[in-house]
Amino acid sequence: MGSLDANPAAAYAAFAADVEPFRPLDADDVRSYLHKAVDFVYDYYKSVESLPVLPGVEPGYLLRLLQSAPPSSSAPFDIAMKELREAVVPGMTHWASPNFFAFFPATNSAAAIAGELIASAMNTVGFTWQAAPAATELEVLALDWLAQLLGLPASFMNRTVAGGRGTGGGVILGTTSEAMLVTLVAARDAALRRSGSNGVAGITRLTVYAADQTHSTFFKACRLAGFDPANIRSIPTGAETDYGLDPARLLEAMQADADAGLVPTYVCATVGTTSSNAVDPVGAVADVAARFAAWVHVDAAYAGSACICPEFRHHLDGVERVDSISMSPHKWLMTCLDCTCLYVRDTHRLTGSLETNPEYLKNHASDSGEVTDLKDMQVGVGRRFRGLKLWMVMRTYGVAKLQEHIRSDVAMAKVFEDLVRGDDRFEVVVPRNFALVCFRIRAGAGAAAATEEDADEANRELMERLNKTGKAYVAHTVVGGRFVLRFAVGSSLQEEHHVRSAWELIKKTTTEMMN
């Protein structure tokens, strides 16, 4: 055996005497690093408009630029920042670019970034009220503020305006997927109890429903919650309902399942579907589901933000009769990822399925019933201080500025829609809702798009050519069996001249294709 084995304590003491101790939270380093990081963020936002929106890199590019083995020794922070600028940034798709029109926006703001920074620095883990009282209460407050802006009934609030305890409440989760999953689990357990099932033995009889325009994450969450894929009903939609869920078709499907001895359990209605921004009729869907005591969840991830404006609030009419609703301020309310707000009308239905109560987390506050431990409204136990950035955004900008932000984006989308309608080579495929325009080169617009099939190929080529320029980024979907381009307005840096420039690029590229 060597000398280190003979006297390890002495060997370590000799080693430590010659080495500067490692202090990862040295206050001077924190200040220095953050100043450099803030300078990077400032430079990034000042220059992002000039960067290619979609990077021209190939898979595996980064491994060729950065060392493949972890560094064995420390390096100055400036080295990491240099590699960030030279290797990482050129491979980024710039969602912050004002020329980003794909998917839905991922909005941000100075207040949200500051809130995220401070929350990360505090690094609190707020699984129970006692573990982080202010973090829990600020999240509750921010959620109740947002519920008031959305015009949700008091039953969805943690605290009513009058100061009393509501029957329901909210929690901030990471994504809509999580909101769907936890409510599916609660609905599953309620249906099993209602049907007299012993444990989960009756789960094969439970059925769930959504329109065929519903986000694919719903069908994934259903499988994770244990529902038989054969019992997941995708209700067809069509142009006659602007691709929204038809309550008559929903009733027909639910009644057929009930007649066959199955148990209708959960219906997902969407306000602002990803493909076409279709809106399912919330109140009518709730009325149908009530016949079968099925849980109704409203996915308003994107368009829920618009409902803080009175002129869009009607899209949530009937929400008082649903069991849960979620919306994501990280999409359109200037609060950076991740921030999905889930509200439930009866908190106990959710916590009854998700609650954990190990001895090491027991405390007087939880036992008193005066607080809701947010760990019991999510899949995991640990949780970040998500409420700070949402509160920062609302506290800093106020209702008027938030509404101005939504209305400005909708107005810019209307400008784009009018430009499309003014060019007879194009068509708007579905009526515009909110700030998404679904359009395409129409069949018959020229030899390159003579038939519907030709038009599909022409639109695919148009999208690819646009995105390769780096001057704009658009995405696509399929609506009514046809390839359609999606133009989503809402990037935080976007102004009307960006929308008009994108349209000029679309026109120019289309002309080049057709000549």
Side-chain angles (χ1 to χ4, degrees):
M1 303 289 283
S3 60
L4 287 180
D5 296 307
N7 193 350
Y12 177 77
F15 169 77
D18 295 330
V19 177
E20 189 70 25
F22 177 43
R23 296 189 178 93
L25 269 179
D26 179 85
D28 290 335
D29 284 347
V30 170
R31 172 176 288 207
S32 173
Y33 293 4
L34 289 185
H35 279 175
K36 292 173 181 178
V38 168
D39 285 342
F40 168 84
V41 171
Y42 173 82
D43 292 341
Y44 178 73
Y45 279 119
K46 294 291 285 187
S47 65
V48 69
E49 181 175 357
S50 64
L51 299 176
V53 189
L54 198 63
V57 297
E58 299 295 329
Y61 93 97
L62 196 60
L63 292 178
R64 295 189 291 272
L65 297 178
L66 301 179
Q67 61 189 58
S68 58
S72 58
S73 57
S74 59
F77 183 69
D78 288 346
I79 297 296
M81 293 301 296
K82 180 176 184 290
E83 293 181 348
L84 171 64
R85 289 187 175 91
E86 296 180 356
V88 178
V89 171
M92 294 295 294
T93 297
H94 297 292
W95 288 64
S97 171
N99 301 311
F100 184 99
F101 301 99
F103 311 115
F104 281 132
T107 55
N108 212 343
S109 63
I113 294 171
E116 183 80 334
L117 171 62
I118 295 169
S120 296
M122 289 183 170
N123 203 29
T124 184
V125 186
F127 35 67
T128 63
W129 178 92
Q130 187 182 59
T136 298
E137 298 207 4
L138 191 64
E139 182 166 328
V140 166
L141 177 64
L143 285 163
D144 283 352
W145 277 6
L146 184 55
Q148 292 174 57
L149 292 187
L150 293 170
L152 298 184
S155 56
F156 284 96
M157 294 186 185
N158 294 278
R159 296 284 176 181
T160 64
V161 177
R165 185 77 183 271
T167 60
V171 62
I172 300 179
L173 303 173
T175 64
T176 300
S177 307
E178 294 176 58
M180 288 179 174
L181 179 58
V182 297
T183 52
L184 278 162
V185 168
R188 177 199 68 193
D189 292 350
L192 289 171
R193 289 192 298 270
R194 189 170 67 248
S195 60
S197 174
N198 181 20
V200 296
I203 197 169
T204 57
R205 296 174 54 218
L206 308 187
T207 53
V208 295
Y209 308 82
D212 60 5
Q213 296 292 305
T214 302
H215 198 285
S216 60
T217 193
F218 169 72
F219 304 98
K220 178 179 180 178
C222 288
R223 295 195 301 273
L224 289 173
F227 290 93
D228 186 338
N231 290 346
I232 302 173
R233 310 290 184 237
S234 181
I235 311 297
T237 61
E240 68 279 1
T241 61
D242 293 334
Y243 297 95
L245 180 59
D246 183 348
R249 283 188 169 185
L250 175 64
L251 175 59
E252 181 181 1
M254 296 183 80
Q255 189 62 60
D257 284 336
D259 292 343
L262 300 175
V263 181
T265 299
Y266 185 103
V267 182
C268 181
T270 306
V271 175
T273 60
T274 301
S275 280
S276 62
N277 243 344
V279 176
D280 295 339
V282 173
V285 168
D287 289 342
V288 170
R291 301 188 185 193
F292 306 92
W295 184 294
V296 179
H297 175 72
V298 175
D299 169 16
Y302 162 70
S305 295
C307 295
I308 69 170
C309 299
E311 62 268 32
F312 297 114
R313 175 55 180 79
H314 66 278
H315 292 298
L316 294 181
D317 285 355
V319 70
E320 68 279 358
R321 301 196 297 281
V322 310
D323 299 280
S324 56
I325 178 173
S326 61
M327 56 88 68
S328 299
H330 63 231
K331 289 188 182 294
W332 203 11
L333 209 60
M334 300 191 296
T335 306
C336 51
L337 278 165
D338 46 13
C339 185
T340 289
C341 301
L342 169 66
Y343 296 92
V344 290
R345 189 153 47 90
D346 183 352
T347 303
H348 292 101
R349 296 183 69 190
L350 197 61
T351 59
S353 294
L354 303 174
E355 184 178 24
T356 56
N357 194 29
E359 186 62 36
Y360 62 87
L361 291 183
K362 291 180 179 178
N363 61 84
H364 293 306
S366 297
D367 293 342
S368 72
E370 290 298 311
V371 301
T372 297
D373 290 333
L374 297 178
K375 68 177 177 61
D376 296 329
M377 298 178 71
Q378 61 177 28
V379 174
V381 175
R383 58 189 339 272
R384 302 173 60 234
F385 191 0
R386 290 191 178 105
L388 181 59
K389 61 189 175 186
L390 180 60
W391 176 80
M392 281 277 208
V393 166
M394 290 191 286
R395 187 65 188 89
T396 301
Y397 302 124
V399 177
K401 290 290 186 184
L402 294 175
Q403 291 176 336
E404 177 187 336
H405 154 71
I406 296 292
R407 288 166 175 153
S408 173
D409 288 347
V410 172
M412 287 191 285
K414 178 65 165 60
V415 166
F416 184 81
E417 178 189 30
D418 290 343
L419 291 170
V420 172
R421 292 188 184 280
D423 188 324
D424 61 10
R425 296 175 298 176
F426 295 89
E427 62 179 333
V428 174
V429 179
V430 294
R432 177 189 54 78
N433 283 326
F434 314 109
L436 173 69
V437 180
C438 294
F439 73 106
R440 71 194 301 260
I441 298 172
R442 64 176 180 81
T451 66
E452 291 288 0
E453 289 71 21
D454 292 337
D456 283 347
E457 191 56 38
N459 282 287
R460 188 182 300 276
E461 182 182 351
L462 173 59
M463 180 184 72
E464 291 174 353
R465 288 196 183 198
L466 290 171
N467 293 342
K468 282 181 180 178
T469 68
K471 297 177 181 178
Y473 182 26
V474 298
H476 79 282
T477 188
V478 173
V479 177
R482 294 303 174 200
F483 191 93
V484 175
L485 301 183
R486 298 171 69 263
F487 191 89
V489 175
S491 175
S492 299
L493 294 174
Q494 240 157 42
E495 297 177 0
E496 187 175 320
H497 69 89
H498 297 111
V499 172
R500 291 187 178 275
S501 293
W503 172 244
E504 290 302 317
L505 180 62
I506 291 168
K507 288 199 303 179
K508 176 175 178 291
T509 306
T510 302
T511 299
E512 291 171 352
M513 287 170 47
M514 292 187 168
N515 287 340

